[in-house]
Amino acid sequence: NVEEERQTLDLYENNGLDLKQKVEKAGIIFDSCSPGQYTYQICPVCKGGQSKERSLSFHINQNENVAIWRCFNFECGWAGHVLADGVNKVKFSKKLSEETLRLEPLGDELINYFAERMISAEILQKNAVMQMVDDKNVIAFTYRWKGEIVNCKFRSITDRKFWQEARFKYLLDCNGYLDKASRIILATDGDGPGQALAEELSCRLGKERCWLVTWPKKDEVTCCKDANEVLVHLGPEALRHVVETAELYKVKNST
């Protein structure tokens, strides 16, 4: 339609136009990112929205032949990619899909990565875990509603970077179901960001119905930081016990 066409960005190759020039033609600061890394900057389309946040995630792959970006501002959602050569057409799209997120089925490398963590290929397929087309080291945890992707969390296995589409939108999508839950178990990571997430979720969901897990020790010195470490080091029964013995959130955090 006219509106979609208006918000379509065409980046055609000109003689001598390299990847950096294409990216900068889109209004993105190329030098903010090193190959293989992710940076956040002000989106040139929505200007960060009302909060003026750095909502645009920008990535250059390790070979420096692909640049990709997506704005995490839910009111925007601008996404695109350019290649080092050839003709490129980058379209504005707010709809999340395997195509707009540039996803594909997991390859052998990531399947083996999960196998080392005692997570089988069958479990990965059941939970619609995929990978990025432009970077085989980036895992995409897709969240679907009635068959359609409503959210996606990415993880790079090279730099341990996490980023997520439509932050907390999943709470709104599941509102009808969550309203019926009298007991919600929070199993966030045990580090600072994980604790902050648990606090945010408990405030949004109501602390009176949130229980928080306590991760056990994996050896004499250190504690497990998440569910997968419990699974790998202590086994599935230990993980089940951790979940079953979660404590009421407001009681646990007042001691």
Side-chain angles (χ1 to χ4, degrees), residues 1-252:
N1 56 36
V2 177
E3 178 64 16
E4 181 181 18
E5 196 63 31
R6 185 182 71 82
Q7 299 188 81
T8 295
L9 177 65
D10 293 319
L11 298 178
Y12 294 100
E13 180 187 32
N14 297 320
N15 291 332
L17 194 64
D18 60 18
L19 187 68
K20 177 178 179 179
Q21 291 171 314
K22 290 182 180 182
V23 168
E24 292 180 343
K25 190 175 180 180
I28 298 171
I29 303 172
F30 183 89
D31 292 332
S32 69
C33 185
S34 299
Q37 302 297 313
Y38 292 83
T39 60
Y40 291 89
Q41 55 183 278
I42 297 293
C43 174
V45 174
C46 70
K47 311 300 182 185
Q50 293 183 350
S51 63
K52 306 299 181 183
E53 65 178 324
R54 294 177 178 269
S55 58
L56 187 80
S57 173
F58 175 58
H59 172 69
I60 305 170
N61 75 337
Q62 198 69 48
N63 296 325
E64 299 185 64
N65 55 18
V66 178
I68 59 175
W69 62 86
R70 175 169 284 274
C71 178
F72 292 168
N73 179 1
F74 182 61
E75 298 300 323
C76 179
W78 181 53
H81 72 285
V82 289
L83 309 179
D85 51 26
V87 178
N88 308 285
K89 187 174 184 179
V90 181
K91 285 191 174 183
F92 175 98
S93 177
K94 292 175 69 173
K95 181 178 176 61
L96 299 183
S97 68
E98 293 179 10
E99 181 181 7
T100 62
L101 293 174
R102 298 189 58 75
L103 305 182
E104 64 183 6
L106 288 175
D108 291 340
E109 183 176 354
L110 288 184
I111 289 176
N112 292 333
Y113 171 85
F114 279 105
E116 293 175 357
R117 288 152 180 79
M118 298 179 64
I119 301 175
S120 68
E122 290 75 19
I123 292 295
L124 296 170
Q125 184 176 14
K126 181 179 179 181
N127 288 277
V129 180
M130 305 184 75
Q131 68 183 32
M132 291 192 70
V133 172
D134 303 310
D135 192 334
K136 310 301 183 184
N137 292 319
V138 175
I139 306 163
F141 299 92
T142 65
Y143 299 85
R144 301 174 187 249
W145 179 256
K146 296 181 179 179
E148 294 187 358
I149 298 177
V150 296
N151 199 5
C152 189
K153 183 171 77 171
F154 298 92
R155 176 179 181 177
S156 170
I157 64 171
T158 55
D159 60 9
R160 304 296 182 182
K161 177 77 174 180
F162 282 89
W163 67 105
Q164 181 166 318
E165 304 292 333
R167 191 169 180 257
F168 294 119
K169 181 178 179 292
Y170 57 90
L171 293 181
L172 295 176
D173 293 330
C174 299
N175 211 23
Y177 289 93
L178 292 173
D179 286 346
K180 301 174 184 177
S182 60
R183 178 183 173 97
I184 299 173
I185 296 177
L186 304 179
T188 59
D189 287 0
D191 56 10
Q195 293 171 14
L197 175 59
E199 177 66 17
E200 178 71 25
L201 290 172
S202 68
C203 290
R204 289 171 179 260
L205 297 169
K207 292 187 178 183
E208 70 281 355
R209 60 180 182 145
C210 287
W211 270 253
L212 184 66
V213 302
T214 299
W215 301 122
K217 286 188 175 183
K218 65 179 179 182
D219 53 45
E220 294 183 356
V221 180
T222 58
C223 288
C224 296
K225 67 178 179 65
D226 57 24
N228 188 238
E229 281 203 350
V230 177
L231 178 64
V232 171
H233 293 280
L234 304 176
E237 289 305 314
L239 180 56
R240 182 188 299 274
H241 177 73
V242 167
V243 174
E244 291 177 345
T245 56
E247 300 177 15
L248 186 62
Y249 189 90
K250 61 181 180 181
V251 172
K252 178 182 178 62

